[in-house]
Amino acid sequence: DIVMTQAPLSVSVTPGESASISCRSSKSLLSSKGITSLYWYLQRPGKSPQLLIYRMSNLASGVPDRFSGSGSETDFTLKISKVETEDVGVYYCGHRLEYPFTFGSGTKLEIK
Amino acid sequence: QVKLQQSGAELVKPGASVKLSCKTSGYTFSTSYMSWFKQIPGQSIEWIGMIYAGDGGTGYNQKFKGKATLTVDTSSSTAYMDLSSLTTEDSAVYFCARTGMDAWGQGASVTVSS
């Protein structure tokens, strides 16, 4: 199985500042079709996960453009600019390259 | 709009089975995939498997083979997951999510206890 490793475990951010979350995969997530199969999700407290970024750098529908994704074949970054209180929750990276799809352990974002 | 409405919380005894449902609306269910996930509170998300509503074709996480069985009813646009031979380790919240994982159900809590 592909192992997804996230860092840090938690991050505390002042509203209006930026935050970055890292994710590393144990295998290249670049598919034979040239798609990087890396996804970012936010799970707000007590809620279902919400898709933020698909295929490494594409913003999901309805997601503010304060969120952006970047990376290479195995190293990825989610950046949140101008953090707002509504951004609180746990952020997960995950892949869909092959079965089984796997997720990172999550990064908890808190507001200072 | 797209909606995935899951069945309610379940309290079941060890050794029993439970069938969870995920009723959809707002999109074409019959040509889409549905994935199911397990999340123990405070922990990360595990992918259980997925099913293509068009022909019932499935793919499973090896970890959940024999534990979970995915089915669909296209007449009611509903996906189902059967969990069998339940143990306390199956106590978790289970989510469904459609193709693209851009829409999720609200989750269904399963508690296995005698």
Side-chain angles (χ1 to χ4, degrees):
Chain A
D1 299 359
I2 297 174
V3 176
M4 307 296 292
T5 303
Q6 285 185 237
L9 288 180
S10 66
V11 60
S12 184
V13 187
T14 300
E17 295 189 341
S18 295
S20 288
I21 298 170
S22 297
C23 174
R24 177 169 292 176
S25 59
S26 61
K27 175 180 175 178
S28 170
L29 299 185
L30 181 63
S31 75
S32 58
K33 296 181 180 179
I35 293 168
T36 304
S37 186
L38 186 281
Y39 300 76
W40 288 99
Y41 307 83
L42 164 60
Q43 188 172 30
R44 294 187 172 98
K47 300 296 185 181
S48 306
Q50 169 194 358
L51 180 67
L52 296 175
I53 301 288
Y54 64 97
R55 298 179 179 177
M56 189 174 71
S57 60
N58 298 278
L59 203 62
S61 177
V63 176
D65 59 8
R66 301 183 291 101
F67 292 87
S68 61
S70 62
S72 63
E73 295 184 18
T74 58
D75 288 90
F76 310 96
T77 302
L78 175 71
K79 182 175 180 181
I80 313 166
S81 61
K82 299 178 183 176
V83 168
E84 299 183 3
T85 55
E86 67 176 23
D87 299 335
V88 165
V90 180
Y91 290 79
Y92 295 99
C93 63
H95 80 85
R96 297 179 210 170
L97 182 70
E98 62 190 30
Y99 293 171
F101 303 156
T102 55
F103 293 80
S105 56
T107 296
K108 187 174 185 179
L109 186 145
E110 299 175 321
I111 298 294
K112 282 184 183 175
Chain B
Q1 74 277 31
V2 175
K3 285 188 177 180
L4 283 70
Q5 182 66 39
Q6 295 188 236
S7 47
E10 300 273 3
L11 173 60
V12 295
K13 294 190 184 306
S17 297
V18 69
K19 189 170 188 173
L20 306 181
S21 66
C22 176
K23 183 170 177 58
T24 73
S25 60
Y27 71 101
T28 306
F29 177 79
S30 60
T31 57
S32 66
Y33 291 84
M34 187 70 75
S35 278
W36 289 85
F37 303 84
K38 174 184 180 182
Q39 187 175 40
I40 295 171
Q43 297 188 19
S44 184
I45 305 163
E46 289 186 279
W47 178 77
I48 295 171
M50 66 193 302
I51 184 167
Y52 179 57
D55 61 6
T58 54
Y60 290 93
N61 183 338
Q62 188 71 27
K63 178 179 177 181
F64 292 95
K65 281 189 175 179
K67 170 62 65 179
T69 302
L70 306 183
T71 56
V72 293
D73 177 359
T74 53
S75 67
S76 63
S77 299
T78 302
Y80 297 93
M81 178 172 66
D82 271 291
L83 297 170
S84 63
S85 303
L86 291 165
T87 73
T88 55
E89 294 185 353
D90 298 315
S91 294
V93 177
Y94 292 86
F95 295 97
C96 57
R98 72 161 185 171
T99 305
M101 299 179 200
D102 61 343
W104 293 64
Q106 81 276 21
S109 173
V110 174
T111 302
V112 183
S113 174
S114 55

